[in-house]
Amino acid sequence: MSRRHKTVSLVLGSGGARGHAHIGVIKAIEERGLEISNIAGTSMGSVIGGIYAAGELDTYIEWVQRLDKKDVVKLLDLSFSTVSIFKGERIFEVLKDLIGDRDIEQLDRGFTAVAAAIEEQREVWLNKGSLFQAIRASTAVPGVFSPVKIEGRMLVDGGIVNPIPIAPTLSDATDLTIAVNLDSIVETYTPESEVPVRDDEEADGYRERIQQFLGDLIGSDDDAVATPDATDLLIKSVDVMQGAIARLKLAAYTPDMVIEIPRDACSFFEFDRASELTELGYKQTCKALAKLDT
């Protein structure tokens, strides 16, 4: 690797549970002796990027790798409103208790969370104030999690306007800009033989647990069945939209390197597969960084 490649602006994209690949990306970059000076993240990219910028990534890893499917279901807090299916507050209360909130200006690294302002129909860069409020806004998937109001603006998931937020890093005085695309169709995911593959029966069981959780809260089997199906459809639709926008962003703002994480690596809510996705992100990044040596 060239000696001039020392500092990095890291762009972490959106993609639900696939965002745990960002952990492996960070690990591989650090192992190469590169310094991540600035981070821009949207949706799950803002979660991992913000926690890393706060110096608490190891704490998060220890927690998330212990999650099983039941734990994930318990973190879903039904909103009982017409705005969204889930509030999205419970998970962030857990994370704040675990990590502690702080202002973005106090972080050791530059950090920008990207959200979308509904009324203004534009992206918003959150780089000051409460870290967790910024992350919460950046992850508010419309219809799935409740929107967040900051300074009079109603904000939702930044991935609907900018799933790979390269633009906030354009003025950075760093040597490399590395972007992570969690919605890649360049490759398909082939798990290692030792990694158990979820078959249809297991996937159905996971769905049933989410349905049962919703049914217990709502008190109606019909609603319990309909809600996860609607959520699935919404999430898959958002995936398609974000994939198309991501390809446009990568064409408009060409980073020095793109780490490609296959879209089919896992589904949106499979947060119990953090270890597997971390390893995938690590391997994909090592493969990409090796090209810098040639």
Side-chain angles (χ1 to χ4, degrees):
M1 184 183 299
S2 172
R3 289 175 179 265
R4 68 183 178 86
H5 291 149
K6 295 180 181 179
T7 58
V8 173
S9 289
L10 185 58
V11 180
L12 302 179
S14 61
R18 290 192 301 278
H20 285 127
H22 293 320
I23 297 173
V25 172
I26 291 170
K27 178 182 177 183
I29 290 173
E30 288 191 327
E31 282 187 0
R32 279 302 186 98
L34 299 173
E35 177 188 351
I36 301 172
S37 302
N38 296 288
I39 303 167
T42 191
S43 199
M44 193 59 187
S46 74
V47 175
I48 301 301
I51 291 174
Y52 173 70
E56 296 289 349
L57 189 57
D58 287 342
T59 303
Y60 176 81
I61 293 170
E62 183 180 350
W63 171 76
V64 78
Q65 289 186 346
R66 293 200 305 265
L67 292 181
D68 59 22
K69 295 178 179 66
K70 279 186 180 178
D71 295 324
V72 175
V73 172
K74 288 176 183 177
L75 290 170
L76 301 175
D77 47 354
L78 203 67
S79 69
F80 293 103
S81 77
T82 58
V83 177
S84 63
I85 298 170
F86 305 110
K87 294 178 185 176
E89 300 294 342
R90 185 176 298 163
I91 175 62
F92 284 100
E93 289 303 320
V94 170
L95 289 177
K96 277 197 284 188
D97 288 344
L98 185 71
I99 292 167
D101 198 5
R102 62 209 74 187
D103 287 339
I104 295 174
E105 300 95 316
Q106 298 173 343
L107 302 178
D108 293 334
R109 295 175 173 83
F111 174 70
T112 300
V114 175
I118 290 295
E119 297 299 329
E120 300 170 46
Q121 299 184 12
R122 60 185 291 268
E123 68 183 83
V124 175
W125 298 355
L126 303 171
N127 50 25
K128 62 181 180 179
S130 165
L131 172 64
F132 270 96
Q133 189 178 40
I135 293 173
R136 173 69 183 82
S138 183
T139 57
V141 180
V144 180
F145 298 114
S146 300
V148 176
K149 198 168 187 177
I150 299 179
E151 296 181 354
R153 287 170 161 167
M154 193 63 69
L155 304 180
V156 296
D157 192 301
I160 68 171
V161 289
N162 198 346
I164 303 182
I166 301 168
T169 69
L170 294 179
S171 61
D172 292 349
T174 51
D175 301 312
L176 284 171
T177 298
I178 299 176
V180 186
N181 179 18
L182 297 181
D183 204 46
S184 176
I185 57 175
V186 175
E187 302 181 41
T188 57
Y189 180 52
T190 304
E192 299 290 341
S193 57
E194 67 270 14
V195 177
V197 179
R198 284 166 20 102
D199 56 23
D200 290 340
E201 183 178 348
E202 183 181 356
D204 288 342
Y206 192 23
R207 177 185 294 275
E208 286 173 8
R209 277 188 282 274
I210 294 178
Q211 291 172 348
Q212 181 62 51
F213 167 77
L214 294 171
D216 290 343
L217 289 176
I218 299 171
S220 167
D221 290 339
D222 291 339
D223 286 344
V225 172
T227 304
D229 290 343
T231 306
D232 259 357
L233 180 60
L234 180 58
I235 290 298
K236 288 177 181 177
S237 299
V238 170
D239 265 351
V240 171
M241 177 187 67
Q242 289 184 353
I245 297 173
R247 289 188 286 276
L248 290 174
K249 293 294 184 181
L250 288 171
Y253 305 106
T254 306
D256 298 293
M257 180 184 300
V258 180
I259 311 298
E260 302 282 2
I261 305 300
R263 176 190 294 177
D264 62 354
C266 77
S267 64
F268 187 90
F269 284 111
E270 290 185 291
F271 289 94
D272 57 298
R273 297 173 64 190
S275 296
E276 181 185 345
L277 270 295
T278 295
E279 183 63 21
L280 174 61
Y282 178 79
K283 289 180 178 179
Q284 292 294 93
T285 307
C286 287
K287 184 167 62 175
L289 286 173
K291 296 178 182 177
L292 288 177
D293 297 324
T294 61

